[in-house]
Amino acid sequence: MFHNEIIYANFIFHFFYCLLVIYEKFRCKKSSLQITIAYLAMVYFGQKMMRNKAAFELDRLLAVWNFSFSIFSAIAAYRLIPELLWALKNLGFVGSYCDNANFYKDPSTGYWGWLFVMSKAPELGDTLFLILRKRPVIFMHWYHHALTFLYAQITYSEQQAWCRWSLALNLSVHAIMYFYFGIRALHFKTPRVVAQFITSIQIVQFVINCYIFAHLFYIKYTDAIPTCQVAWNVLTMGALMYLSYLYLFVEFFYNAYIAKKPRASNTTIENEPLPVKKTFLPPTRKLQTDKSD
């Protein structure tokens, strides 16, 4: 047990060290770093505090929480997708992620883009519901929430053109995903294919982002489009982030829906048991009694 604690303490130390490097290299705001560290502390110590306590019954509150995010995401997507379509028509496909035009200065897209970034802070509350309800907080969950929040703060301040794609895709997926979670919180049964569909569109989102980042890397490295509005710091961190997301979500999809194992109905990322429970807590060691005479 003590050995496991040392391993996890070492991991946390290096994770925090990486956050400090991000703060120095990528000009992340101090408040964003503090919130991220507080979030990770909540994930680790929150599960410890709840280990010997009864789970809270928060189904109705969770449903309201999820439906609220679904409505917000749908409205924000409705406000931002037309600008993406305008960019595709007037700037072309490459121009849509190389030229931000008036995305950040326009009162509508600038405002809803800012709200999107701000929404990543309350989204961290998803994890609190898992902790209080004693559901597993897998690595993919807290890693995705923490890094997305931190990266959103960095990216928006850099005014990157490709953000119009990221925001439109993420909001569209979240409008569907959070609505599904709201339905599940109210204990409505849904076909297994619905959960598969939600995970699939998340994967598609990351595939599109990875393609855009790969092309931006080429453009930036070869200086093919000198006016392309993308910075190396955001590009490097974002590429690693989206590649890791793609790997984790594909792995989850395979383990949840393809690999042969005992069937668990309606398996989803946020609120159901998972095939492999990689949590943020060290495993407990069962005590064995000596049965010898």
Side-chain angles (χ1 to χ4, degrees):
M1 183 68 177
F2 182 69
H3 176 68
N4 289 328
E5 293 286 356
I6 293 177
I7 293 176
Y8 276 79
N10 183 60
F11 167 77
I12 294 172
F13 170 79
H14 283 90
F15 195 91
F16 285 170
Y17 175 77
C18 289
L19 290 180
L20 291 174
V21 172
I22 290 172
Y23 172 65
E24 293 294 335
K25 297 294 183 181
F26 299 106
R27 293 177 289 175
C28 180
K29 292 183 178 180
K30 186 177 180 180
S31 58
S32 301
L33 185 66
Q34 291 172 338
I35 292 173
T36 305
I37 293 175
Y39 168 76
L40 294 174
M42 178 195 73
V43 173
Y44 185 78
F45 293 107
Q47 291 180 96
K48 277 184 169 293
M49 292 175 62
M50 289 296 298
R51 178 172 287 174
N52 297 318
K53 296 181 179 180
F56 287 85
E57 296 294 334
L58 302 171
D59 293 346
R60 292 184 179 180
L61 181 59
L62 179 60
V64 173
W65 176 269
N66 286 321
F67 285 136
S68 297
F69 272 110
S70 176
I71 293 171
F72 165 77
S73 298
I75 295 174
Y78 174 77
R79 303 295 295 185
L80 293 176
I81 289 177
E83 197 278 340
L84 172 60
L85 298 177
W86 174 89
L88 286 169
K89 180 180 179 181
N90 294 276
L91 304 176
F93 179 61
V94 177
S96 68
Y97 51 81
C98 257
D99 185 354
N100 63 33
N102 293 320
F103 182 85
Y104 294 93
K105 297 179 181 179
D106 182 84
S108 178
T109 55
Y111 174 70
W112 285 98
W114 175 79
L115 282 181
F116 168 85
V117 173
M118 293 300 102
S119 72
K120 294 306 169 185
E123 270 187 22
L124 300 177
D126 294 346
T127 312
L128 182 60
F129 277 101
L130 291 178
I131 293 172
L132 295 178
R133 297 168 70 228
K134 299 192 72 170
R135 298 299 179 91
V137 183
I138 62 170
F139 170 78
M140 182 176 69
H141 173 91
W142 63 261
Y143 171 79
H144 177 262
H145 274 62
L147 192 54
T148 300
F149 165 76
L150 196 60
Y151 188 65
Q153 315 305 312
I154 299 170
T155 305
Y156 198 76
S157 62
E158 294 279 354
Q159 298 190 0
Q160 305 293 288
W162 63 267
C163 282
R164 59 163 56 94
W165 276 94
S166 180
L167 269 62
L169 290 170
N170 187 266
L171 288 166
S172 299
V173 170
H174 277 200
I176 300 171
M177 183 187 74
Y178 276 109
F179 181 79
Y180 170 77
F181 290 152
I183 292 294
R184 292 291 297 154
L186 295 176
H187 301 288
F188 285 101
K189 293 184 178 180
T190 57
R192 183 177 174 82
V193 68
V194 176
Q196 293 175 328
F197 170 74
I198 291 175
T199 308
S200 297
I201 60 177
Q202 289 175 304
I203 292 173
V204 170
Q205 172 192 190
F206 299 137
V207 169
I208 294 174
N209 281 316
C210 284
Y211 171 80
I212 290 175
F213 269 77
H215 192 203
L216 286 173
F217 254 107
Y218 171 79
I219 292 172
K220 191 71 174 176
Y221 181 75
T222 61
D223 200 25
I225 306 177
T227 58
C228 189
Q229 294 165 315
V230 61
W232 271 120
N233 58 346
V234 174
L235 186 58
T236 304
M237 184 180 176
L240 294 174
M241 180 185 74
Y242 281 119
L243 282 172
S244 65
Y245 288 175
L246 180 60
Y247 170 80
L248 290 171
F249 277 72
V250 169
E251 180 188 43
F252 171 85
F253 188 92
Y254 175 80
N255 290 331
Y257 309 120
I258 298 176
K260 294 182 179 180
K261 52 186 62 187
R263 184 175 180 179
S265 61
N266 292 304
T267 304
T268 61
I269 293 173
E270 300 286 342
N271 58 355
E272 294 292 336
L274 298 168
V276 180
K277 297 181 180 179
K278 299 178 181 178
T279 68
F280 200 18
L281 280 176
T284 56
R285 180 179 296 175
K286 295 182 179 179
L287 296 177
Q288 297 181 349
T289 57
D290 187 1
K291 296 183 179 180
S292 59
D293 294 332

